[in-house]
Amino acid sequence: MDKEEALKKLFQEVVSDKNLPLQEPNLVFGEGNVDAEVMFVGEAPGFHENEEKRPFVGRGGQLLNRNIEKIGWRREDVYITNIVKRRPPDNRDPLPEEIEAYKPYLTKQIEIINPLVVATLGRFSMNYFLPGAKITRDQGKVFRVGGRFIVPILHPAAALRATGMLEAFEEVFQKLPRIVSRCKKELAKTENESTTAN
Ligand code: URA
């Protein structure tokens, strides 16, 4: 099965899972290049995302798009999704049980796409991958988890709330291309070492 097919199958599995919380809102599964090296993971869809059934299409999404373009990438080249794939009522934070319930689907989605770097957008997504991390301390740092690298970034909505936050958000974005090349080198190095050891 190729990646497109595997993702379609996963989409159907989410649709037919009637035990998932938040059954009422639309499903916002995620979109982008199935072979992306970088996957952005936010927390949950908001009003506009629910309307369009696409992740990050509101004001936060526009900030994300601008920053992707500023570093010479295109939105179509990366993959964008959320931990929780349906909008919590009144845009409240996702509940721990909602995060837990959607977890198997995000895990599978990551396995299928197999990105080198997961750039987390906001505290919920960061703590999903790095339970002990703190956003102010750890944004822009690179954490290796198995064969993948996690880079915490502020949530675009938080970046839009204050100038200092916007600067911090954009600063991490500027570092992303170099982070990706560094991660590639590091992964190649460890893969070589394990081949030599065998
Ligand atoms: N906030 C998120 O975390 N995800 C979206 O898709 C939109 C806003």
Side-chain angles (χ1 to χ4, degrees):
M1 204 184 335
D2 69 19
K3 288 184 176 190
E4 298 272 7
E5 276 176 72
L7 287 170
K8 267 195 203 140
K9 185 163 170 275
L10 186 66
F11 177 95
Q12 283 310 328
E13 285 172 27
V14 184
V15 171
S16 35
D17 185 346
K18 299 299 174 206
N19 291 322
L20 279 174
L22 308 169
Q23 286 287 323
E24 283 295 305
N26 288 325
L27 173 61
V28 181
F29 184 74
E31 65 181 25
N33 184 343
V34 297
D35 293 313
E37 283 182 332
V38 179
M39 184 169 181
F40 290 92
V41 180
E43 56 192 55
F47 174 83
H48 297 285
E49 289 73 24
N50 177 56
E51 293 286 300
E52 292 194 33
K53 303 184 193 165
R54 298 179 58 211
F56 285 102
V57 291
R59 273 186 74 221
Q62 284 159 20
L63 179 68
L64 179 65
N65 293 349
R66 276 203 301 282
N67 276 272
I68 290 175
E69 282 160 23
K70 266 205 228 163
I71 54 172
W73 296 355
R74 296 178 312 166
R75 181 168 163 128
E76 312 88 87
D77 296 334
V78 299
Y79 195 91
I80 305 177
T81 191
N82 286 299
I83 310 175
V84 170
K85 301 199 186 299
R86 289 189 179 97
R87 182 191 181 209
D90 304 320
N91 286 354
R92 65 152 165 72
D93 289 342
L95 303 172
E97 56 268 33
E98 290 164 350
I99 294 176
E100 207 48 39
Y102 282 87
K103 192 173 192 163
Y105 298 109
L106 177 60
T107 305
K108 197 75 194 293
Q109 204 172 18
I110 295 172
E111 267 169 31
I112 295 169
I113 293 160
N114 195 21
L116 174 72
V117 170
V118 172
T120 61
L121 298 169
R123 175 167 64 86
F124 283 93
S125 175
M126 176 190 68
N127 287 140
Y128 175 94
F129 296 96
L130 307 165
K134 296 248 184 307
I135 194 76
T136 41
R137 185 190 64 197
D138 295 324
Q139 56 174 322
K141 292 187 186 166
V142 182
F143 297 83
R144 184 166 182 169
V145 179
R148 237 181 282 293
F149 299 85
I150 313 295
V151 181
I153 306 181
L154 283 171
H155 195 283
L160 286 169
R161 278 197 290 268
T163 317
M165 305 274 259
L166 181 62
E167 280 165 7
F169 175 88
E170 299 197 322
E171 220 170 89
V172 176
F173 250 89
Q174 288 300 319
K175 283 166 51 178
L176 275 183
R178 255 181 300 138
I179 289 177
V180 171
S181 356
R182 225 180 344 118
C183 292
K184 260 191 230 171
K185 281 194 201 129
E186 192 180 320
L187 194 66
K189 199 171 117 213
T190 44
E191 276 170 359
N192 279 340
E193 279 164 7
S194 67
T195 327
T196 325
N198 286 330

